[in-house]
Amino acid sequence: MAFSGSTWRLLRGDEPIGEIHVDDGDFPWLSGGFAPAPGFAAVRPWFEESRALLDAEDHEAFDRSYDRIADALTLVAPDGPVAEFLLHIDGGRASFRWSDEPFEEASEDASEGPAEDA
C-alpha cells in the first residue's frame, strides 16, 4: 500500500489536533493509529457524537453532525492539505477517505466506514 507508514496531520486552524500513522488500507479508506495532540480534547465530543449517530444508522443526523468537523478541521497529507475528507476517530484508531477535489453530494454510503471499523 502506497500510504502505509505515512503520517497525516489533523489541524484546527494552525493548532495541531493529532496525527494519524497509516498502517492499513482498504480502498478508498486508509486507517492507522491516532495520536491526539492536546487540542484534540476540544473536538473529541464531535467525533464521539458522529460515531454514535453512524452506529445508530441515523445518516441524516450524522451528515449534519459531521459538517462541524469538516468545516473546522483540516486533514494534511504528507504532501499538503487535502480538499475534502471523511474521518472517523475511535479511541486510538482513525479511518478516513480523502480527495484532492471536493466530494460530490453525499451518497447513501458516503458516511459508512470500512466493515471492520466498528
Side-chain angles (χ1 to χ4, degrees):
M1 179 182 68
F3 293 103
S4 187
S6 63
T7 298
W8 296 55
R9 296 177 299 125
L10 187 61
L11 303 174
R12 185 177 191 187
D14 292 331
E15 179 186 13
I17 298 299
E19 292 185 338
I20 303 165
H21 304 281
V22 176
D23 58 22
D24 196 13
D26 184 14
F27 183 80
W29 292 89
L30 296 177
S31 61
F34 180 71
F40 182 66
V43 299
R44 179 188 311 267
W46 300 354
F47 287 95
E48 291 170 347
E49 176 186 65
S50 70
R51 187 59 175 181
L53 292 168
L54 189 59
D55 289 346
E57 298 184 13
D58 189 342
H59 298 287
E60 287 182 30
F62 168 83
D63 290 341
R64 288 189 304 273
S65 171
Y66 190 81
D67 284 345
R68 176 175 44 192
I69 293 169
D71 292 344
L73 305 180
T74 302
L75 184 62
V76 182
D79 57 349
V82 301
E84 191 145 2
F85 63 94
L86 181 58
L87 170 66
H88 304 295
I89 297 175
D90 190 9
R93 296 290 297 170
S95 61
F96 64 99
R97 61 186 296 177
W98 62 277
S99 176
D100 286 331
E101 301 290 328
F103 291 149
E104 293 181 23
E105 284 299 310
S107 64
E108 284 289 316
D109 64 347
S111 59
E112 294 179 14
E116 69 276 3
D117 189 39

